[in-house]
Amino acid sequence: MWSQVLSLLAGLLVLTLPGLVLQLLAGVRDLLWLAALTVPVSIGLFTVSGVLSGIPGLALSPLLTVGCLVLLAVPLALLARKLPGARTRARRRGGDFPPAVSPRLVTLARLGGAVLCLGAALLALRPWWSGLGDWSTYPQEHDTITHTWLTAYIARTGTGAPWELLPLDLLTGGPVSFYPSGLPLTAALTGELTAGPIVGFNLVTALAVGPAFVLGCAALAAAILRGLGSGPAWTSLAGGIAALVAAGLYRPGVQLLHDGGIAPNAVAMSLAPGIIAAALTLGGRQWSRAVLLGLGVAGAFAVHPSVAATVGLSLLVCWAVAALTRPGRRELRDRWPVLLTAGTVAGVAALGSLLGALGEATRTGGWPPDTRPAPLGEAVGTNLMFSYGGYLDPDQTYAQLSAALLVLAGVAAVLLTRRGWTALALWGFWLLAGIEFRTSPADGIAATIVGSFFYKSYVRIQSHIALFAPALAAFGLLVTALALARLVVRARRSLPLVPVTAVVLVPLLAGYVFLASIPYAQRNAEAIASRYADPEFVRVDADDRAAVDWLGTRSRPGERMMNSANDGSTYAYVDEGLPVVNVVTLGDAQLPYTYHLLADFREYPDDPAIRAEILRLNIGYVYVDSEAPLIGAGPGAPENWVGEPTFRLAPGLRNLDGLPGLRVAFRSGSVTVYRLDRKVLAGM
């Protein structure tokens, strides 16, 4: 128990301390910014540290990261002192909306907002705490195969530069196939301070898609209210309510991790609301804040480049709304120099990742859609009502109706008050994108413009709706409470409006917590457990652990192990540093032998080319798991070598017993490790 708590505190320290230090040294005292950018700025620092590790003689480590922190902190502090910038001014309120609040009630509202944010962060973390069972629990989903071994590779080698990641050969470090490394970099650093790559990966994932997402949504809601000229009381309450709504949402984090282990996309998407909030509240001539924003954008981009579309398209929506009014156009004119500065900083800090992402752009946009066209009514209903869908709920039987009702209340509130258009526009844009993609996933507007950034994946596009629902829901709940309070005040004219609003708001929030937030969190915990603590399918289990432990005491330096990455074999590298032949489940086109051996390894007695490849690679062991999970093999198999739409067991690793030079060295359950006598092969 205490070891779990200490690991959690260490992970929290890694994700928050660097970003907090940089912001405080830059003179940032705005709680909105601290909530929005602390984690993205920390990951941005790790991204810069990774780039520096590409310099010969430097290796990524906590020490290098501390040095990089100092190098960034000093000029940032000097910049903040020399060019402090101007404070952002809230727009003047129109009429009595929202009503003015006395100083004493402002303090209480701020405290209430802080309590709501803290409670929401804990509520968002709870499903991960219980669903994992232990921070060292092995993930079972497909994509986490890559995330975990890449985390281990960074930790073992100190390699962190984007042009050096992902290595397809663990012994030589090349060739390299670009892979977003912001998450593995952060996980590797966290693992060094805790208990290794698995613990580091699980901690960073849980904290980013849980508490960091919740605080980012709080910051976005507060930023939108601040843009309306609301005082600190209303912005604090709006942030707290948005955090509470975000804490129970199934998307983006839980579903993306459940339906494929899509961790980098989930983390980057979870950071987006905070980044957008910071961009919306960046004032003219706030140069040090512009640098921080650019560093945060670079960090999120390094986690997954698709965040450029998430943030970029969303900001275009916000600016389009602002451009409809004269004050909005004036603010845009005032802010473009600092926004350009932030973009420049982001481009420089993430240049390596940017170049790598551009090289993969064609492949990313060339994937076929992952869903079939649906009727318009179904597309509208499932997106509007926050149905679970996916692998958890394939028949779309369940939905987060309470959250949907709050969002619809927000829509009504915007239309009736004619305020909060930014919140409605953000949610509406991504809602329309999700609906249009669902109805025309192959050739629709959303598929062409938006889908190419997200592998034509419906679950990724649909998840964007959840990023902006909390802010709209918070606005709706506040306006509803104000409307009910006005009814009470009209009946009892002696009662003050603001205190009555607070009295009305408390039971509304309490009802949502007990009727929605807690049940939602429980279902999220069950979904997470089905991929971790109580998995529905198993990729790595006790048999794999036993095999890896056995291999760790016997494998020789420079000796490779033949494997299929679709089973638990890659954890031989994660846990023991044993170089496996295949780190990609279906092989990679840059190294044709990876999939040639998967297809024909067992033909080595009769195929001299296969024998020569085995001897060249210095393969000493062969790892076979006869109960690997089923995965899709569509466009991911080079040369379509699988020949089928799905893949489970490599043909070349079946029926190996009795082959010359190959003997069973270890067997436990479905896992068998063979010892290969290369002398026998050399003599054939």
Side-chain angles (χ1 to χ4, degrees):
M1 172 64 178
W2 286 111
S3 64
Q4 299 299 299
V5 173
L6 290 175
S7 293
L8 176 61
L9 292 177
L12 190 62
L13 188 73
V14 172
L15 274 178
T16 59
L17 185 60
L20 194 60
V21 168
L22 286 174
Q23 289 198 83
L24 292 176
L25 288 174
V28 176
R29 300 295 184 269
D30 188 347
L31 293 179
L32 187 156
W33 267 64
L34 295 178
L37 274 192
T38 292
V39 173
V41 168
S42 292
I43 299 177
L45 173 71
F46 305 149
T47 301
V48 175
S49 301
V51 171
L52 292 180
S53 73
I55 300 174
L58 293 180
L60 183 71
S61 66
L63 183 60
L64 177 63
T65 304
V66 171
C68 187
L69 174 63
V70 174
L71 288 175
L72 288 177
V74 172
L76 197 57
L78 292 174
L79 179 64
R81 177 171 295 186
K82 296 291 185 182
L83 299 172
R87 292 187 177 182
T88 53
R89 295 180 179 179
R91 298 177 189 173
R92 293 181 180 180
R93 293 193 298 267
D96 61 348
F97 180 87
V101 180
S102 66
R104 183 168 59 181
L105 290 179
V106 168
T107 301
L108 290 176
R110 280 177 162 169
L111 180 61
V115 170
L116 287 174
C117 285
L118 178 60
L122 293 174
L123 186 64
L125 183 62
R126 177 64 184 176
W128 293 95
W129 178 282
S130 60
L132 266 72
D134 191 288
W135 296 121
S136 61
T137 299
Y138 287 75
Q140 301 293 343
E141 265 294 353
H142 174 270
D143 287 16
T144 50
I145 298 169
T146 301
H147 309 149
T148 49
W149 76 251
L150 185 55
T151 298
Y153 179 81
I154 293 169
R156 290 183 182 280
T157 65
T159 301
W163 56 86
E164 297 176 314
L165 300 172
L166 167 152
L168 297 173
D169 188 323
L170 294 173
L171 277 181
T172 64
V176 171
S177 176
F178 172 76
Y179 196 86
S181 55
L183 176 57
L185 282 172
T186 308
L189 291 168
T190 305
E192 290 196 44
L193 298 180
T194 52
I198 300 296
V199 173
F201 173 76
N202 287 337
L203 280 168
V204 171
T205 302
L207 289 169
V209 304
F213 171 62
V214 161
L215 293 179
C217 289
L220 181 58
I224 291 172
L225 265 289
R226 185 180 291 183
L228 296 177
S230 305
W234 301 110
T235 57
S236 298
L237 288 174
I241 296 169
L244 193 61
V245 173
L249 293 180
Y250 183 52
R251 300 182 184 92
V254 178
Q255 182 172 23
L256 290 178
L257 266 298
H258 180 274
D259 290 10
I262 312 170
N265 220 156
V267 171
M269 211 177 287
S270 297
L271 301 179
I275 292 172
I276 294 167
L280 292 179
T281 54
L282 180 64
R285 299 187 303 280
Q286 289 185 328
W287 305 109
S288 58
R289 290 196 182 197
V291 173
L292 289 170
L293 177 58
L295 190 60
V297 171
F301 187 88
V303 172
H304 203 280
S306 65
V307 79
T310 302
V311 172
L313 292 174
S314 301
L315 284 177
L316 286 176
V317 171
C318 295
W319 294 337
V321 172
L324 295 176
T325 65
R326 184 176 297 175
R329 291 192 293 271
R330 185 171 59 249
E331 287 185 3
L332 289 177
R333 286 195 300 269
D334 292 342
R335 289 179 178 176
W336 76 261
V338 287
L339 289 171
L340 182 60
T341 300
T344 302
V345 171
V348 172
L351 183 59
S353 298
L354 177 61
L355 295 175
L358 290 175
E360 295 290 312
T362 302
R363 187 177 70 88
T364 302
W367 282 64
D370 65 348
T371 187
R372 295 178 180 178
L376 179 61
E378 177 185 331
V380 172
T382 54
N383 282 286
L384 204 58
M385 293 293 105
F386 291 88
S387 68
Y388 282 88
Y391 295 139
L392 180 71
D393 178 29
D395 295 327
Q396 301 182 116
T397 306
Y398 304 101
Q400 297 186 308
L401 292 178
S402 296
L405 288 175
L406 278 188
V407 172
L408 292 177
V411 174
V414 171
L415 296 177
L416 290 172
T417 63
R418 290 180 293 177
R419 293 175 173 85
W421 295 107
T422 299
L424 178 59
L426 283 169
W427 172 80
F429 172 82
W430 288 105
L431 175 68
L432 291 176
I435 292 171
E436 205 274 339
F437 185 89
R438 187 70 178 90
T439 56
S440 303
D443 53 5
I445 298 173
T448 304
I449 298 176
V450 180
S452 58
F453 292 98
F454 301 98
Y455 298 91
K456 301 288 180 65
S457 169
Y458 176 59
V459 66
R460 302 186 200 213
I461 296 171
Q462 183 188 34
S463 289
H464 284 79
I465 302 170
L467 303 184
F468 307 105
L472 188 57
F475 187 75
L477 193 59
L478 281 179
V479 171
T480 300
L482 276 168
L484 294 174
R486 283 194 169 98
L487 292 177
V488 174
V489 170
R490 286 175 185 174
R492 297 288 186 88
R493 295 184 181 278
S494 60
L495 295 176
L497 177 60
V498 174
V500 173
T501 303
V503 171
V504 172
L505 195 58
V506 168
L508 290 176
L509 285 173
Y512 187 83
V513 168
F514 290 104
L515 297 177
S517 290
I518 293 176
Y520 290 167
Q522 180 58 39
R523 178 159 289 178
N524 286 345
E526 294 170 0
I528 295 167
S530 69
R531 295 298 184 264
Y532 290 87
D534 186 22
E536 294 175 342
F537 58 86
V538 175
R539 178 168 271 110
V540 52
D541 58 10
D543 294 330
D544 294 285
R545 300 286 296 277
V548 170
D549 289 343
W550 183 87
L551 281 162
T553 61
R554 291 166 174 83
S555 183
R556 300 169 184 171
E559 200 171 43
R560 288 182 175 86
M561 182 176 75
M562 179 58 198
N563 72 309
S564 168
N566 189 41
D567 54 32
S569 56
T570 57
Y571 290 92
Y573 180 78
V574 174
D575 291 342
E576 298 292 343
L578 306 181
V580 295
V581 171
N582 280 290
V583 293
V584 181
T585 50
L586 299 174
D588 193 278
Q590 293 190 65
L591 293 178
Y593 68 77
T594 55
Y595 54 93
H596 290 165
L597 291 178
L598 286 172
D600 299 319
F601 179 87
R602 68 179 316 277
E603 304 300 325
Y604 72 81
D606 303 313
D607 192 330
I610 296 294
R611 285 199 306 273
E613 201 66 73
I614 292 172
L615 294 172
R616 184 185 70 82
L617 293 171
N618 196 31
I619 294 175
Y621 289 93
V622 182
Y623 189 112
V624 178
D625 188 340
S626 60
E627 296 181 359
L630 185 72
I631 63 172
E639 300 181 40
N640 193 29
W641 71 268
V642 177
E644 298 177 1
T646 59
F647 173 82
R648 186 189 299 272
L649 304 175
L653 297 181
R654 295 178 181 178
N655 305 318
L656 298 184
D657 287 10
L659 292 181
L662 202 63
R663 64 177 177 83
V664 175
F666 175 90
R667 179 167 282 162
S668 177
S670 62
V671 177
T672 302
V673 179
Y674 297 88
R675 181 58 172 166
L676 183 64
D677 189 341
R678 290 186 297 274
K679 292 181 180 179
V680 173
L681 270 68
M684 287 183 177

